[in-house]
């Protein structure tokens, strides 16, 4: 499906507003939209709301063989799913330019910055290591997907627990969460991406652009940084020239402030969730549905009445005709071919002899080494007749 | 005129870690462009994928073959049965034809004896000794199509399938237990109507089982 | 001889039915729903049954690809996104179930040569997933304001090893059960629109499950009604 295009009118309006240092949703230039972090029932499942942008990340793991050149290191793999749910412009199946760009940025942000201790993911050197898989699903696209993705991914990684394993000789046993408590990943630092949108050849700059703003922007600069003010990656796209100073001082300063704010939020969210889990309270998506909104409704557990269910069921069974016990005997014209039923004349019948041969071929093959067996079951066009029922039997 | 051919290929493999005592069966339904102009070449379409899943469900639910029977040595070696169902001519009601073809093919499969050499841990295949598969149940499907929830037809042809408003497949085994009641949407049916279909299906099962037995018997005698 | 067998069968049936009668597990887990929670799609809803939750989004009617155009009605596409990895054959078959159920209830002929898209995202799977898909799909279609001839809801029943019926089973209950059935019930005459089963079971058991699902569907339809009423309570 095509996306609704932005009209010239809207474009001019937006640009003019930006020139006057005003934004559509009333934010200041360096403000982030309201951010919300929620966790699912599973470990490693995280929802991030950034204004109306909404993404979900799920971390999973499996045991695989490691890469030959790095036998002691676990693997990490990111997959960003631009599901058409987020925007009608996204299509399923082939990866778009945007999804490749986002995926590469996320991998650079997480894998190349070595934020996870991959060596701790090794189970048997050279044979079995954990592969950590991060699936990020877009649920609603309202601009600045990258920031939301990076926050969701790193939070999900922090939240994730992998099952415990034991190695005895060659055997590897994986313990279920009931048997042994799962282990959290060891994470060195939390890289978070901050996006800057540039307008009018870099004269104006906005943090956390929303979707209409993204459409009129000239360039985008994504800086991934951790709270120690170390830059993990910088990517600039769009045809703008940036002054070295501008990147070095201005943007870095803003980014570091934002990153420390977000990191604090994530830690707080993680702590909250941990406390909730410890207290044994219910957690997860089901609990996070806002009750006060009129669009939401919840109903307590209800029981279903069972009276007259049995009566009704037995009534139907008894009322139905008893199936006839006589069965027409099948006809076997030649060995290997059978026929039953009536109806249309089968036009394949003329080739019965050929089928016979095929069958025998199958038999010969059987005597050979391979254990293939081919049987041709010739399905006759056996129509059991034509029935018409009156609509009300009951 | 619907024709389905079923080939069964057995391979030795390592069982999965989760189910060390089980072998596995992998069914695959192929609807090639050869059988009808409605199918296009390329990766399997939705109908073929849904049919494969249906056959897999039937095998699992009906316990035609118990996965434990395919195990040769626990955690080490097991059989994998690849059941490839290929439609040669599509004239409606492929699901029934697939189930029948599968059952007949399974009944005719002979597996060689395999023993594991304890010293070298390699499987030894004895091609002289063969034995048939242990078929526990005989599931047979019966498809119905519904027109405007008043008319029921058994075994729809391709032409009827293109006009129907709803389709229903009931799979039963010899003990009249239901293995699958597959109705992917369409207009609704009442419990009474379903009951009618089920009784037809049980009769159909007896018919087909007799047919298969007789055919298998005739093949055996001719060899 | 033959009639003797059938008599025996009937006796057997009624015996098994008595067991089912004493079941006390026939409850629906608490369920919740939130409509229009996403800003981009034309209609969206999340549906929660116990821990199982599904997010659904509907787009349409919109422009259709030429290859998928149907001259007298709208083309409906259903996409199911699993939580981890890419959609497999299992998702494909579930897509088929959901699509054909929606096709039967939507009045597609009102929007010829257009496309409707329904995307379902698994948020958490704790059993009864297919019925949750159906419920979320129906709520999203309602939220998108698409014309429908009737509503539908999904109910999953499991039969455990003792022959007891459990409605709306959790993942653990599903694993232990002997048979699993999911039905879609329509709101007009409470008839079966869709049925998907796993495991083997007898005819009376099937009929009982249908009857139970029909009872349970009334609760769900009441919930639909309440939530829609609540939603539009301020707009009037």
């Amino acid at each position: 499906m095509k996306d609704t295009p932005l009209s010239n009118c809207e474009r001019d309006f937006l640009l003019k507003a930006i020139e006057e240092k005003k934004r559509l949703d009333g934010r200041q230039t360096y403000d982030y939209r309201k951010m919300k972090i929620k966790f699912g029932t599973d470990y490693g499942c995280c929802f991030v709301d950034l204004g109306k942008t909404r993404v979900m990340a799920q971390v999973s793991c499996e045991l695989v063989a490691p890469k030959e050149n790095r036998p002691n290191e676990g693997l990490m793999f990111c997959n960003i799913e631009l599901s058409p749910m987020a925007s009608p412009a996204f299509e399923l199946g082939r990866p778009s330019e945007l999804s490749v760009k986002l995926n590469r940025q996320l991998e650079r942000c997480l894998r190349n910055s070595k934020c996870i201790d991959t060596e701790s993911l090794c189970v048997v050197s050279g044979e079995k290591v954990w592969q950590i898989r991060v699936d990020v699903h877009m649920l609603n696209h309202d601009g600045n997907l990258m920031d939301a993705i990076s926050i969701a991914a790193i939070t999900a990684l922090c939240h994730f627990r992998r099952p415990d394993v034991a190695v005895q000789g060659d055997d590897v046993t994986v313990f279920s969460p009931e048997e042994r408590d799962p282990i959290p990943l060891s994470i060195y630092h939390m890289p978070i991406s901050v996006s800057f949108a540039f307008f009018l050849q870099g004269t104006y700059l906005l943090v956390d652009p929303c979707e209409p703003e993204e459409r009129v922007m000239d360039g985008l600069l994504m800086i991934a940084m951790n709270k120690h003010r170390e830059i993990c990656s910088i990517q600039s796209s769009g045809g703008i020239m940036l002054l070295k100073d501008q990147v070095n001082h201005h943007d870095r300063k803003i980014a570091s402030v934002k990153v420390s704010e977000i990191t604090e939020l994530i830690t707080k969210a993680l702590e909250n969730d941990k406390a909730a889990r410890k207290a044994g309270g219910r957690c997860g998506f089901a609990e996070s549905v806002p009750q006060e909104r009129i669009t939401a409704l919840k109903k307590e557990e209800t029981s279903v009445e069972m009276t007259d269910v049995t009566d009704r069921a037995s009534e139907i069974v008894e009322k139905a005709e008893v199936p006839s016990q006589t069965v027409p005997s099948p006809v076997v014209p030649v060995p290997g071919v059978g026929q039953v039923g009536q109806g249309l004349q089968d036009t394949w019948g003329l080739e019965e002899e050929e089928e016979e041969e095929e069958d025998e071929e199958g038999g010969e093959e059987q005597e050979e080494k391979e254990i293939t067996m081919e049987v041709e079951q010739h399905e006759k066009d056996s129509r059991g007749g034509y029935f018409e029922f009156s609509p009300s039997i009951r | 005129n619907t024709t389905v051919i079923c080939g069964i290929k057995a391979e030795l493999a390592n069982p999965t870690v989760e189910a060390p005592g089980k072998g596995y069966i992998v069914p695959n339904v192929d609807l090639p462009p050869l059988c009808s102009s409605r199918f296009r070449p390329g990766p399997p379409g939705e109908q073929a994928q849904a049919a494969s899943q249906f056959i897999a469900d039937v095998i699992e639910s009906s316990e035609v073959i118990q996965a434990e029977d395919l195990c040769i040595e626990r955690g080490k070696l097991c059989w994998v049965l690849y059941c490839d169902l290929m439609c040669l001519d599509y004239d409606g009601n492929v699901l029934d034809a697939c189930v029948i073809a599968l059952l007949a093919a399974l009944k005719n499969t002979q597996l060689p004896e395999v023993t594991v050499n304890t010293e070298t841990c390699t499987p030894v295949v004895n091609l002289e000794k063969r034995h048939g598969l242990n078929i526990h149940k005989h599931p047979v499907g019966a498809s119905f199509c519904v027109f405007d929830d008043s008319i029921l037809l058994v075994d729809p042809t391709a032409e009827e399938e293109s006009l129907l408003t709803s389709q229903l497949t009931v799979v039963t085994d010899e003990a009249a237990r239901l293995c699958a009641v597959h109705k992917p949407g369409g207009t609704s049916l009442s419990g009474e109507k379903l009951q009618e279909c089920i009784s037809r299906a049980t009769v159909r099962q007896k018919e087909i089982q007799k047919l298969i037995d007789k055919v298998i018997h005739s093949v055996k005698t001719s060899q | 001889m033959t009639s003797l067998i059938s008599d025996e069968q009937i006796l057997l049936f009624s015996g098994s039915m008595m067991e089912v009668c004493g079941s006390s597990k026939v409850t629906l887990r608490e369920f919740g729903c939130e409509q229009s929670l996403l800003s981009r799609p034309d209609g969206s809803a999340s549906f929660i049954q116990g821990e199982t939750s599904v997010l659904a989004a509907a787009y349409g009617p919109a422009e259709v690809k030429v290859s998928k155009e149907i001259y007298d009605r709208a083309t409906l596409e259903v996409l199911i996104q699993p939580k981890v990895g890419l959609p497999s054959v299992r998702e494909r078959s579930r897509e088929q179930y959901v699509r054909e159920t929606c096709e039967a209830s939507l009045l597609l002929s009102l929007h010829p040569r257009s496309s409707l898209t329904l995307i379902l995202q698994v948020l958490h799977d704790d059993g009864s997933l297919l019925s949750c898909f159906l419920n979320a799909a129906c709520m999203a279609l309602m939220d998108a304001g698409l014309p429908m001839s009737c509503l539908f809801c999904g109910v999953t029943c499991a039969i455990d090893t003792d022959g007891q019926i459990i409605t709306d089973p959790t993942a653990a209950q599903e694993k232990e059960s002997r048979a699993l059935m999911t039905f879609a019930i329509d709101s007009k005459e409470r008839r079966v629109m869709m049925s998907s089963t796993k495991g083997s079971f007898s005819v009376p058991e099937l009929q009982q499950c249908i009857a139970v699902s029909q009872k349970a569907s009334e609760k769900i339809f009441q919930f639909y009604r309440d939530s829609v009423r609540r939603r539009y309570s301020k707009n009037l």
Side-chain angles (χ1 to χ4, degrees), chain B residues 46 49-50 53 57 60-61 149 176-191 194-195 198, chain C residues 89-90 92-93 96-97 99-101 104 178 191-201 203 206-207 210:
Chain B
E46 198 205 51
Q49 291 194 24
Q53 180 69 30
D57 282 347
E60 201 192 316
S61 319
D149 58 51
R177 290 183 73 79
L178 302 167
C179 307
V181 180
H182 171 83
K183 181 178 185 301
T187 46
S188 48
L189 270 185
S190 60
L194 271 175
Q195 191 60 39
I198 293 165
Chain C
V89 180
R90 224 161 104 86
R92 280 285 127 72
S93 96
Q96 191 197 22
Y97 281 124
R99 197 195 62 228
E100 297 204 4
T101 311
R178 179 161 57 87
R191 298 202 294 184
V192 182
M193 290 180 88
M194 184 223 70
S195 110
S196 152
T197 63
K198 215 167 186 192
S200 65
F201 43 88
V203 185
L206 173 80
Q207 290 294 355
I210 293 178

Side-chain angles (χ1 to χ4, degrees), chain B residues 76-200:
Chain B
K76 290 275 158 56
L77 201 63
C78 69
W79 284 111
V80 186
L81 295 183
Y82 291 97
C83 309
D84 290 309
L85 291 146
M86 171 95 78
C87 182
L88 297 182
D89 194 357
Y90 184 94
D91 191 20
N93 202 5
V94 255
L95 291 185
D96 282 16
C98 284
V99 176
I100 297 169
L102 176 78
L103 184 58
L106 283 175
K107 276 191 86 103
N108 210 350
T109 306
Q110 303 272 319
L111 290 181
E113 197 179 79
V114 176
T115 46
V116 178
N117 190 327
T118 41
E119 282 167 25
T120 52
C121 275
T122 46
V124 181
V125 181
N126 184 356
L127 287 170
E128 302 297 305
K129 268 192 194 167
R130 287 169 175 280
H131 57 90
L133 284 166
N134 200 353
I135 310 282
H136 292 262
K137 297 275 172 64
H138 295 84
V140 170
S143 286
F144 303 85
C145 64
V146 187
F147 293 92
D148 296 333
D149 58 51
S150 53
I151 304 164
L152 271 171
L153 283 187
V154 193
D155 189 15
T157 62
E159 205 176 333
E160 284 161 352
E161 269 184 4
S162 64
L163 295 170
L164 54 76
T165 53
S166 173
Q167 202 169 7
L168 168 76
T169 305
V170 181
V171 181
T172 54
D173 63 19
E174 64 262 48
R177 290 183 73 79
L178 302 167
C179 307
V181 180
H182 171 83
K183 181 178 185 301
T187 46
S188 48
L189 270 185
S190 60
E192 292 85 352
K193 281 278 169 60
L194 271 175
Q195 191 60 39
E196 289 277 357
C197 297
I198 293 165
S199 0
R200 299 292 320 169

Side-chain angles (χ1 to χ4, degrees), chain C:
Chain C
M1 185 64 197
T2 46
S3 68
L4 208 115
I5 291 167
S6 65
D7 274 350
E8 266 176 14
Q9 274 175 345
I10 288 168
L11 270 175
L12 216 93
F13 287 166
S14 55
S16 68
M17 227 176 286
M18 295 309 285
E19 283 173 14
V20 183
C21 216
S23 145
S24 59
K25 287 178 182 168
V26 192
T27 54
L28 293 172
R29 289 177 286 175
E30 62 165 38
F31 44 97
C33 168
E34 187 180 356
Q35 282 190 308
S36 356
L37 68 166
L38 302 179
S39 67
R40 294 300 297 271
D42 298 322
S44 58
S46 68
F47 203 89
I48 298 153
Q49 286 174 260
E51 295 285 298
T52 306
S53 41
V54 167
L55 188 62
Y59 284 99
E63 205 181 335
V64 68
K65 273 191 204 149
V66 184
S67 58
K68 286 177 183 165
E69 184 176 306
I70 305 175
Y71 68 95
D72 62 346
R73 61 193 170 94
T75 315
L76 177 69
E77 261 185 287
V78 176
L79 301 167
I80 291 180
Q81 293 273 330
K83 207 171 177 189
V84 173
L86 297 169
S88 65
V89 180
R90 224 161 104 86
E91 274 74 33
R92 280 285 127 72
S93 96
R94 284 180 167 162
E95 278 172 15
Q96 191 197 22
Y97 281 124
V98 177
R99 197 195 62 228
E100 297 204 4
T101 311
C102 294
E103 272 176 355
S105 83
L106 283 166
L107 296 166
L108 293 171
S109 53
L110 292 180
H111 302 288
R113 299 175 298 285
S114 58
S115 88
L116 302 178
T117 317
L118 181 69
I119 304 120
L120 296 162
Q121 168 76 53
V122 185
L123 298 183
H124 187 74
D125 179 10
D126 187 25
S128 317
L129 191 61
L130 184 56
S131 60
C132 198
F133 278 143
L134 289 163
N135 294 333
C138 186
M139 289 300 255
L141 294 176
M142 263 200 272
D143 186 49
L146 294 168
M148 290 158 96
S149 61
C150 61
L151 300 179
F152 57 88
C153 73
V155 184
T156 302
C157 298
I159 301 175
D160 67 9
T161 37
D162 310 332
Q164 292 206 326
I165 297 176
I166 306 168
T167 49
D168 198 12
T170 61
Q173 285 171 327
E174 271 187 10
K175 223 175 213 174
E176 282 168 19
S177 66
R178 179 161 57 87
L180 198 67
M181 304 170 216
T182 304
F183 302 104
I185 312 281
D186 76 311
S187 63
K188 265 197 300 197
E189 291 165 79
R190 308 273 185 271
R191 298 202 294 184
V192 182
M193 290 180 88
M194 184 223 70
S195 110
S196 152
T197 63
K198 215 167 186 192
S200 65
F201 43 88
S202 68
V203 185
E205 278 171 342
L206 173 80
Q207 290 294 355
Q208 285 225 327
C209 285
I210 293 178
V212 170
S213 306
Q214 284 167 339
K215 287 274 172 201
S217 74
E218 293 188 10
K219 303 269 176 200
I220 298 173
F221 286 129
Q222 189 54 47
F223 174 75
Y224 280 2
R225 195 173 291 274
D226 290 347
S227 62
V228 171
R229 183 178 291 150
R230 186 178 153 109
R231 190 182 156 202
Y232 289 110
S233 58
K234 279 192 183 166
N235 289 16
L236 292 172

Side-chain angles (χ1 to χ4, degrees), chain A residues 174-208:
Chain A
V174 180
F175 294 102
S176 68
E178 290 82 30
E179 288 169 319
R180 274 200 205 176
D181 283 340
I183 308 167
L185 302 173
S186 62
I187 290 171
Y188 294 135
H189 60 95
M190 287 157 68
I192 287 160
S193 146
V194 177
S195 302
F196 299 90
F198 291 92
F199 300 89
L200 301 169
Q201 271 71 49
T203 347
Y204 298 98
L205 167 149
L206 293 180
V207 172
D208 184 22

